[in-house]
Amino acid sequence: MNTPHPRSSSESSIHHKDSVQEQHTFEDLLGGTEAKTLRDHNPLFHQANHGQTRPPTLFVIFGAQGDLTKRKLIPALYNLAASRHLPQEFAILGVDGIAMDTEDFRLKISQDIQELSNLPIDATIKKWLLDRLYYLSGDFRDPHTYESLQQAVSQLNAQHGTQGNYLYYLATASSFFGEIVQQLGEKGLVKQNEGSSRRVVIEKPFGHDLESAQSLNHTLRSVLAESQIYRIDHYLGKETVQNILVFRFANGIFEPVWNRNYIDHVQITVAETLGVEHRGTYYDNAGALRDMVPNHLLQILGFVAMEPPNTFDAEAVRNEKAKLLRAIEPMNPVDVLQSTVAGQYRAGIINGRHVPPYCSETNVSPKSLRETYTAMTLFIESWRWEGVPFYLRTGKRLNKRVTEVVIQFKSAPLMLFRKTPVDRLTPNVLVIRIQPDEGISLSFGAKIPGPQVQVGNVDMDFQYADYFGDAPSTGYETLLHDVMDGDATLFQRSDNVELGWQVVDPILKVWDSLGTHAIHHYDSGSWGPSEADALLAKDGRKWRNHD
Ligand code: BG6
């Protein structure tokens, strides 16, 4: 993550002549391990790659024939190559079960780039990338695959000068994570030597509940150091999510009012118009709560509500996020009944098109009780947030695709305009629009011109596109760039993952025990079940819905 790092060009760099001398003294004084620890935790030492290409890297993709590789990883690597963010010493090795040789794999990826790139294709860049692309076929469970992998990586490492820096991206079903990492460990393929890095990237689901998440973490940690594990939450790759931190901490005027004294409540909405598409099998096991809340919604909540870290070093940021997640008031079964809603979509109309009910989607049980919508009220036990409700909701087949954070401020303390036609003023609302219409707006009251004092609601509006254009991105560029740099700020640490599950586990248990009573149906194309409106209405509040 580039933006919030305090790495201005005016700051000293370890490439500077004087600093190089200091580096020697520093290593000499402290000795290897201690110097490395200090180095890893000191932002000054992270400047070496800023504004330059990444360190030499051999990028190994398990699941090279899958959708994630095709739709996200390859287009993101193409974009990084196009923006000259990849090192010259770079190679990609795809591993998957389908038998294929490197030549055919290059042909396939070439077609994928052609089909899916969001940039106009530049033949030179495409060739540069394809020339560095290799394929190894093998079953992820078969130890022979890892023997072949050993040979392949050492050959490619020598051929492309990747200096022993191996990045393993597990773009596979989560059931393979433990197996692959253990086999890599057994073959010594994740052992870091002085000066080389071995990193493993995995993507959610990180378990199915708290217990399975703990067990997965345990397996990963039995082979890897925490600093080698990069757990991706693709929401943190979104510029607008990263911008929450910049908005809060790079500006002086917001933090003083960012607390219970001024904020009435916060809403976080992630609404989708899509249904479960081709993911019925996964989704009918997971449901909206597991799929979206312990990861994406709580990550957004973390950025919105955490205390300012004292540096933008990965550990400092993740410590603050963990502190915040730990402070979420745990729910007992009565709280779950009163403060959460589960919904499932019926048939309906979306964008003028009839869509089927959830229970008749492919690979979904016709009697499924799985939720496709959830809403909840959370409280954070801290001096900053005591008593401020955080309303979270997410669902499929809703009226509009919109992800946003709404900060509603308290009303003015005195109704000065009581004797005018205005007897109630609308409170100020700050909306951070994450997608699709990226921007930030602040609404406030203004006098409508005329002899009477009439107050109207107006907006100050910032649109990303107006200032920064529409940079095509898959959302993975920053994350891949950061893994290569060894910057874990935007990745989930094991405690963050477990704390997320700790929040939702009690909800899952109560819903399971309620069976059919837990689910409230809603029409596709609506804003979810009426029970979710009632959740806010009982507090005298309303969701901010869009037409
Ligand atoms: C994924 C979920 O993590 O996020 C999907 O598994 C969901 O169910 C998706 O559709 C939403 O991501 P985005 O970036 O489209 O908002």
Side-chain angles (χ1 to χ4, degrees):
M1 184 191 189
N2 269 336
T3 329
H5 287 249
R7 304 169 182 167
S8 77
S9 54
S10 59
E11 287 173 320
S12 65
S13 146
I14 61 170
H15 286 324
H16 189 274
K17 188 169 169 281
D18 297 344
S19 311
V20 170
Q21 282 167 5
E22 187 187 311
Q23 183 187 350
H24 286 161
T25 317
F26 178 74
E27 303 290 357
D28 292 346
L29 275 176
L30 291 177
T33 319
E34 204 168 337
K36 184 174 181 320
T37 311
L38 276 176
R39 215 168 263 294
D40 287 351
H41 289 87
N42 186 339
L44 268 183
F45 288 102
H46 297 175
Q47 292 169 27
N49 292 311
H50 186 54
Q52 303 175 12
T53 55
R54 316 278 64 76
T57 303
L58 175 53
F59 198 106
V60 181
I61 306 177
F62 284 88
Q65 301 272 5
D67 233 37
L68 180 61
T69 303
K70 175 175 164 163
R71 295 186 181 281
K72 301 290 182 185
L73 302 185
I74 294 293
L77 288 170
Y78 178 86
N79 290 349
L80 284 172
S83 59
R84 305 203 182 286
H85 278 100
L86 293 182
Q88 200 55 30
E89 301 80 12
F90 182 76
I92 305 169
L93 174 62
V95 185
D96 213 321
I98 299 176
M100 196 179 259
D101 61 15
T102 288
E103 208 178 311
D104 284 345
F105 187 59
R106 285 183 179 176
L107 199 64
K108 174 200 174 323
I109 295 292
S110 168
Q111 286 159 357
D112 291 347
I113 293 177
Q114 214 65 41
E115 181 193 341
L116 290 163
S117 173
N118 44 20
L119 284 180
I121 305 292
D122 177 313
T124 319
I125 294 165
K126 190 166 104 173
K127 180 172 180 324
W128 184 92
L129 201 64
L130 293 177
D131 284 349
R132 285 165 174 72
L133 185 67
Y134 301 85
Y135 188 71
L136 173 72
S137 51
D139 187 325
F140 304 146
R141 296 212 153 93
D142 181 355
H144 292 116
T145 303
Y146 298 84
E147 282 158 22
S148 311
L149 182 65
Q150 259 178 328
Q151 289 175 6
V153 291
S154 85
Q155 189 195 321
L156 292 176
N157 185 45
Q159 190 178 330
H160 287 276
T162 51
Q163 299 181 14
N165 298 327
Y166 303 165
L167 190 167
Y168 301 101
Y169 201 115
L170 309 196
T172 65
S174 57
S175 52
F176 287 113
F177 293 167
E179 172 88 36
I180 294 175
V181 165
Q182 272 169 337
Q183 299 240 32
L184 288 173
E186 276 162 30
K187 293 287 180 297
L189 284 162
V190 286
K191 192 165 179 313
Q192 309 196 97
N193 300 317
E194 198 63 32
S196 70
S197 68
R198 302 285 158 93
R199 299 181 180 131
V200 174
V201 184
I202 60 173
E203 193 152 342
K204 79 177 223 334
F206 310 123
H208 192 70
D209 53 16
L210 179 58
E211 205 184 322
S212 53
Q214 283 168 333
S215 148
L216 174 63
N217 280 336
H218 180 78
T219 309
L220 298 177
R221 294 296 304 277
S222 65
V223 178
L224 302 162
E226 181 63 36
S227 59
Q228 292 178 275
I229 311 169
Y230 289 73
R231 298 177 190 79
I232 281 199
D233 183 309
H234 80 276
Y235 262 64
L236 298 188
K238 294 182 193 285
E239 291 290 343
T240 36
V241 173
Q242 294 167 30
N243 190 44
I244 297 172
L245 289 186
V246 177
F247 180 78
R248 287 187 59 196
F249 302 135
N251 297 293
I253 63 169
F254 303 113
E255 271 312 288
V257 297
W258 210 258
N259 56 53
R260 66 190 299 276
N261 298 326
Y262 296 93
I263 292 181
D264 176 74
H265 75 274
V266 176
Q267 299 180 14
I268 301 177
T269 295
V270 181
E272 298 184 85
T273 50
L274 289 179
V276 293
E277 309 299 295
H278 54 279
R279 296 163 72 224
T281 310
Y282 155 76
Y283 198 87
D284 208 32
N285 255 308
L289 183 60
R290 287 187 177 89
D291 187 43
M292 299 295 285
V293 178
N295 33 69
H296 308 327
L297 274 91
L298 290 188
Q299 290 299 313
I300 298 176
L301 173 69
F303 276 9
V304 170
M306 74 187 201
E307 294 299 318
N310 51 1
T311 70
F312 269 106
D313 164 51
E315 291 320 309
V317 171
R318 299 191 302 177
N319 286 344
E320 289 306 335
K321 223 191 294 169
K323 235 163 73 185
L324 189 275
L325 293 174
R326 214 168 275 127
I328 295 177
E329 201 174 278
M331 286 195 201
N332 63 35
V334 176
D335 296 330
V336 174
L337 293 177
Q338 291 175 348
S339 310
T340 70
V341 174
Q344 188 187 89
Y345 62 80
R346 295 192 202 101
I349 296 177
I350 301 232
N351 298 331
R353 192 169 66 88
H354 276 279
V355 293
Y358 175 70
C359 280
S360 51
E361 298 276 17
T362 314
N363 294 328
V364 167
S365 154
K367 294 205 171 127
S368 176
L369 296 178
R370 197 48 80 198
E371 82 286 355
T372 59
Y373 175 99
T374 178
M376 68 189 65
T377 313
L378 296 178
F379 286 95
I380 294 165
E381 293 176 316
S382 71
W383 276 50
R384 185 191 281 263
W385 295 118
E386 185 56 34
V388 178
F390 284 77
Y391 300 109
L392 273 51
R393 66 174 166 168
T394 181
K396 297 213 179 272
R397 288 282 190 233
L398 295 177
N399 179 278
K400 224 181 186 140
R401 175 173 183 244
V402 52
T403 299
E404 64 180 23
V405 178
V406 175
I407 315 277
Q408 179 156 328
F409 290 90
K410 293 187 170 168
S411 300
L414 185 63
M415 293 297 175
L416 274 184
F417 308 102
R418 199 173 286 135
K419 295 205 176 93
T420 72
V422 180
D423 58 356
R424 199 168 163 71
L425 301 179
T426 323
N428 301 116
V429 178
L430 178 78
V431 182
I432 302 176
R433 298 189 305 271
I434 291 170
Q435 60 188 21
D437 168 30
E438 293 88 353
I440 296 178
S441 64
L442 176 66
S443 72
F444 57 93
K447 181 178 176 301
I448 299 172
Q452 278 188 320
V453 178
Q454 274 193 302
V455 180
N457 230 24
V458 297
D459 277 345
M460 280 201 294
D461 197 23
F462 152 69
Q463 304 259 7
Y464 251 79
D466 292 350
Y467 281 81
F468 306 118
D470 272 328
S473 147
T474 62
Y476 275 67
E477 288 80 355
T478 306
L479 298 173
L480 298 184
H481 164 291
D482 284 3
V483 188
M484 286 188 252
D485 263 4
D487 180 349
T489 313
L490 294 177
F491 296 82
Q492 286 185 265
R493 213 170 49 189
S494 56
D495 58 344
N496 282 208
V497 169
E498 291 175 20
L499 287 163
W501 281 114
Q502 216 157 290
V503 173
V504 303
D505 243 25
I507 306 175
L508 289 168
K509 289 201 174 102
V510 173
W511 285 0
D512 275 354
S513 73
L514 288 174
T516 48
H517 300 294
I519 293 288
H520 305 284
H521 287 89
Y522 60 97
D523 291 342
S524 287
S526 72
W527 276 107
S530 56
E531 286 75 7
D533 295 331
L535 189 70
L536 269 70
K538 71 177 155 62
D539 299 343
R541 300 183 175 107
K542 269 189 0 205
W543 292 107
R544 180 178 187 270
N545 286 343
H546 299 249
D547 299 331

Short mmCIF file of all heavy atoms in Angstrom, two decimals, residues 506-536:
data_model
loop_
_atom_site.label_atom_id
_atom_site.label_comp_id
_atom_site.label_asym_id
_atom_site.label_seq_id
_atom_site.Cartn_x
_atom_site.Cartn_y
_atom_site.Cartn_z
N PRO A 506 -21.36 -16.44 17.43
CA PRO A 506 -22.60 -16.55 18.23
C PRO A 506 -23.85 -16.35 17.38
O PRO A 506 -24.89 -16.96 17.63
CB PRO A 506 -22.48 -15.41 19.25
CG PRO A 506 -21.06 -14.96 19.21
CD PRO A 506 -20.49 -15.35 17.89
N ILE A 507 -23.74 -15.55 16.33
CA ILE A 507 -24.90 -15.30 15.46
C ILE A 507 -25.23 -16.58 14.69
O ILE A 507 -26.39 -17.01 14.62
CB ILE A 507 -24.62 -14.14 14.47
CG1 ILE A 507 -24.17 -12.89 15.24
CG2 ILE A 507 -25.82 -13.86 13.59
CD1 ILE A 507 -23.76 -11.73 14.36
N LEU A 508 -24.19 -17.20 14.14
CA LEU A 508 -24.41 -18.44 13.37
C LEU A 508 -25.07 -19.50 14.24
O LEU A 508 -25.98 -20.21 13.80
CB LEU A 508 -23.06 -18.97 12.87
CG LEU A 508 -22.41 -18.16 11.74
CD1 LEU A 508 -20.96 -18.59 11.53
CD2 LEU A 508 -23.21 -18.32 10.45
N LYS A 509 -24.62 -19.59 15.49
CA LYS A 509 -25.16 -20.64 16.37
C LYS A 509 -26.64 -20.43 16.63
O LYS A 509 -27.44 -21.36 16.54
CB LYS A 509 -24.38 -20.66 17.69
CG LYS A 509 -22.97 -21.19 17.49
CD LYS A 509 -22.36 -21.69 18.79
CE LYS A 509 -21.01 -22.34 18.48
NZ LYS A 509 -19.86 -21.50 18.80
N VAL A 510 -27.03 -19.19 16.92
CA VAL A 510 -28.44 -18.93 17.21
C VAL A 510 -29.28 -19.15 15.94
O VAL A 510 -30.33 -19.80 16.00
CB VAL A 510 -28.65 -17.50 17.77
CG1 VAL A 510 -30.13 -17.18 17.91
CG2 VAL A 510 -27.93 -17.36 19.10
N TRP A 511 -28.82 -18.65 14.80
CA TRP A 511 -29.58 -18.85 13.56
C TRP A 511 -29.77 -20.34 13.27
O TRP A 511 -30.85 -20.77 12.89
CB TRP A 511 -28.86 -18.21 12.38
CG TRP A 511 -28.96 -16.71 12.34
CD1 TRP A 511 -29.61 -15.90 13.23
CD2 TRP A 511 -28.38 -15.86 11.37
NE1 TRP A 511 -29.46 -14.60 12.87
CE2 TRP A 511 -28.70 -14.54 11.73
CE3 TRP A 511 -27.60 -16.07 10.23
CZ2 TRP A 511 -28.28 -13.43 10.99
CZ3 TRP A 511 -27.18 -14.98 9.49
CH2 TRP A 511 -27.53 -13.68 9.87
N ASP A 512 -28.70 -21.11 13.46
CA ASP A 512 -28.81 -22.55 13.21
C ASP A 512 -29.88 -23.16 14.08
O ASP A 512 -30.67 -24.00 13.65
CB ASP A 512 -27.46 -23.25 13.52
CG ASP A 512 -26.54 -23.18 12.32
OD1 ASP A 512 -27.01 -22.72 11.27
OD2 ASP A 512 -25.35 -23.54 12.45
N SER A 513 -29.93 -22.72 15.34
CA SER A 513 -30.89 -23.33 16.27
C SER A 513 -32.32 -22.91 15.94
O SER A 513 -33.27 -23.60 16.29
CB SER A 513 -30.54 -22.95 17.71
OG SER A 513 -30.87 -21.60 17.91
N LEU A 514 -32.47 -21.80 15.23
CA LEU A 514 -33.83 -21.32 14.93
C LEU A 514 -34.42 -21.97 13.68
O LEU A 514 -35.64 -21.93 13.48
CB LEU A 514 -33.81 -19.81 14.69
CG LEU A 514 -33.60 -18.93 15.92
CD1 LEU A 514 -33.46 -17.48 15.50
CD2 LEU A 514 -34.76 -19.08 16.91
N GLY A 515 -33.59 -22.57 12.85
CA GLY A 515 -34.09 -23.20 11.62
C GLY A 515 -34.85 -22.21 10.76
O GLY A 515 -34.41 -21.08 10.56
N THR A 516 -36.05 -22.63 10.30
CA THR A 516 -36.81 -21.78 9.37
C THR A 516 -37.17 -20.42 9.96
O THR A 516 -37.37 -19.46 9.23
CB THR A 516 -38.14 -22.45 8.98
OG1 THR A 516 -38.76 -22.90 10.17
CG2 THR A 516 -37.94 -23.58 8.02
N HIS A 517 -37.25 -20.36 11.29
CA HIS A 517 -37.68 -19.08 11.90
C HIS A 517 -36.65 -17.98 11.72
O HIS A 517 -36.95 -16.80 11.93
CB HIS A 517 -37.96 -19.28 13.39
CG HIS A 517 -39.03 -20.29 13.61
ND1 HIS A 517 -40.32 -20.06 13.21
CD2 HIS A 517 -38.99 -21.52 14.14
CE1 HIS A 517 -41.05 -21.14 13.50
NE2 HIS A 517 -40.26 -22.04 14.07
N ALA A 518 -35.41 -18.37 11.40
CA ALA A 518 -34.37 -17.34 11.29
C ALA A 518 -34.49 -16.54 10.00
O ALA A 518 -34.03 -15.41 9.92
CB ALA A 518 -32.99 -18.00 11.35
N ILE A 519 -35.13 -17.15 8.99
CA ILE A 519 -35.07 -16.54 7.65
C ILE A 519 -36.30 -15.69 7.32
O ILE A 519 -37.43 -16.13 7.46
CB ILE A 519 -34.95 -17.66 6.58
CG1 ILE A 519 -33.60 -18.36 6.72
CG2 ILE A 519 -35.11 -17.15 5.17
CD1 ILE A 519 -32.42 -17.54 6.25
N HIS A 520 -36.04 -14.47 6.85
CA HIS A 520 -37.11 -13.59 6.39
C HIS A 520 -36.93 -13.38 4.88
O HIS A 520 -35.83 -13.01 4.45
CB HIS A 520 -37.04 -12.24 7.10
CG HIS A 520 -37.05 -12.39 8.59
ND1 HIS A 520 -38.19 -12.68 9.31
CD2 HIS A 520 -36.05 -12.34 9.49
CE1 HIS A 520 -37.90 -12.78 10.59
NE2 HIS A 520 -36.61 -12.59 10.74
N HIS A 521 -37.98 -13.64 4.13
CA HIS A 521 -37.82 -13.55 2.68
C HIS A 521 -38.00 -12.12 2.18
O HIS A 521 -38.70 -11.33 2.79
CB HIS A 521 -38.80 -14.51 1.99
CG HIS A 521 -38.36 -15.95 2.15
ND1 HIS A 521 -38.76 -16.71 3.22
CD2 HIS A 521 -37.53 -16.71 1.41
CE1 HIS A 521 -38.17 -17.90 3.13
NE2 HIS A 521 -37.43 -17.92 2.04
N TYR A 522 -37.33 -11.82 1.09
CA TYR A 522 -37.49 -10.50 0.47
C TYR A 522 -37.51 -10.67 -1.04
O TYR A 522 -36.96 -11.62 -1.58
CB TYR A 522 -36.35 -9.55 0.89
CG TYR A 522 -34.95 -10.00 0.52
CD1 TYR A 522 -34.31 -9.53 -0.64
CD2 TYR A 522 -34.24 -10.89 1.32
CE1 TYR A 522 -33.02 -9.95 -0.98
CE2 TYR A 522 -32.95 -11.31 0.99
CZ TYR A 522 -32.34 -10.84 -0.15
OH TYR A 522 -31.08 -11.25 -0.48
N ASP A 523 -38.18 -9.72 -1.69
CA ASP A 523 -38.25 -9.78 -3.16
C ASP A 523 -36.91 -9.37 -3.75
O ASP A 523 -36.31 -8.39 -3.31
CB ASP A 523 -39.31 -8.79 -3.68
CG ASP A 523 -40.71 -9.24 -3.31
OD1 ASP A 523 -40.88 -10.44 -2.97
OD2 ASP A 523 -41.61 -8.38 -3.33
N SER A 524 -36.47 -10.11 -4.75
CA SER A 524 -35.30 -9.65 -5.50
C SER A 524 -35.62 -8.25 -6.04
O SER A 524 -36.74 -7.99 -6.49
CB SER A 524 -35.03 -10.58 -6.68
OG SER A 524 -34.50 -11.79 -6.21
N GLY A 525 -34.63 -7.38 -5.99
CA GLY A 525 -34.86 -6.01 -6.46
C GLY A 525 -35.35 -5.07 -5.38
O GLY A 525 -35.56 -3.88 -5.63
N SER A 526 -35.55 -5.58 -4.16
CA SER A 526 -35.96 -4.71 -3.05
C SER A 526 -34.71 -4.34 -2.25
O SER A 526 -33.59 -4.65 -2.64
CB SER A 526 -36.97 -5.43 -2.16
OG SER A 526 -36.30 -6.45 -1.41
N TRP A 527 -34.91 -3.72 -1.10
CA TRP A 527 -33.78 -3.40 -0.22
C TRP A 527 -33.65 -4.39 0.94
O TRP A 527 -33.08 -4.07 1.97
CB TRP A 527 -33.87 -1.96 0.29
CG TRP A 527 -33.30 -1.02 -0.73
CD1 TRP A 527 -33.98 -0.16 -1.54
CD2 TRP A 527 -31.91 -0.88 -1.07
NE1 TRP A 527 -33.12 0.50 -2.37
CE2 TRP A 527 -31.84 0.08 -2.11
CE3 TRP A 527 -30.72 -1.47 -0.64
CZ2 TRP A 527 -30.64 0.46 -2.70
CZ3 TRP A 527 -29.53 -1.08 -1.22
CH2 TRP A 527 -29.49 -0.13 -2.23
N GLY A 528 -34.21 -5.58 0.76
CA GLY A 528 -34.06 -6.59 1.82
C GLY A 528 -35.33 -6.73 2.63
O GLY A 528 -36.33 -6.05 2.35
N PRO A 529 -35.35 -7.62 3.62
CA PRO A 529 -36.59 -7.87 4.37
C PRO A 529 -36.99 -6.67 5.24
O PRO A 529 -36.13 -5.90 5.67
CB PRO A 529 -36.21 -9.07 5.26
CG PRO A 529 -34.73 -9.10 5.29
CD PRO A 529 -34.23 -8.45 4.06
N SER A 530 -38.30 -6.56 5.48
CA SER A 530 -38.78 -5.41 6.26
C SER A 530 -38.22 -5.46 7.68
O SER A 530 -38.10 -4.44 8.35
CB SER A 530 -40.31 -5.40 6.27
OG SER A 530 -40.76 -6.65 6.78
N GLU A 531 -37.87 -6.66 8.17
CA GLU A 531 -37.31 -6.78 9.52
C GLU A 531 -36.01 -5.97 9.66
O GLU A 531 -35.68 -5.50 10.75
CB GLU A 531 -37.01 -8.25 9.86
CG GLU A 531 -38.24 -9.08 10.16
CD GLU A 531 -39.06 -9.45 8.91
OE1 GLU A 531 -38.60 -9.17 7.78
OE2 GLU A 531 -40.15 -10.01 9.08
N ALA A 532 -35.30 -5.80 8.53
CA ALA A 532 -34.06 -5.01 8.59
C ALA A 532 -34.39 -3.52 8.76
O ALA A 532 -33.65 -2.78 9.41
CB ALA A 532 -33.24 -5.22 7.33
N ASP A 533 -35.52 -3.10 8.17
CA ASP A 533 -35.95 -1.71 8.38
C ASP A 533 -36.37 -1.51 9.83
O ASP A 533 -36.08 -0.49 10.46
CB ASP A 533 -37.12 -1.36 7.46
CG ASP A 533 -36.70 -1.41 5.99
OD1 ASP A 533 -35.50 -1.15 5.72
OD2 ASP A 533 -37.55 -1.73 5.14
N ALA A 534 -37.04 -2.56 10.35
CA ALA A 534 -37.51 -2.47 11.74
C ALA A 534 -36.34 -2.38 12.73
O ALA A 534 -36.45 -1.74 13.78
CB ALA A 534 -38.38 -3.68 12.06
N LEU A 535 -35.23 -3.01 12.35
CA LEU A 535 -34.04 -2.99 13.21
C LEU A 535 -33.61 -1.55 13.50
O LEU A 535 -33.25 -1.20 14.63
CB LEU A 535 -32.92 -3.74 12.49
CG LEU A 535 -31.63 -4.06 13.22
CD1 LEU A 535 -31.89 -5.13 14.28
CD2 LEU A 535 -30.57 -4.58 12.23
N LEU A 536 -33.65 -0.71 12.47
CA LEU A 536 -33.27 0.68 12.66
C LEU A 536 -34.44 1.51 13.19
O LEU A 536 -34.25 2.42 14.00
CB LEU A 536 -32.75 1.29 11.36
CG LEU A 536 -31.25 1.16 11.16
CD1 LEU A 536 -30.87 -0.30 10.90
CD2 LEU A 536 -30.76 2.04 10.02
#
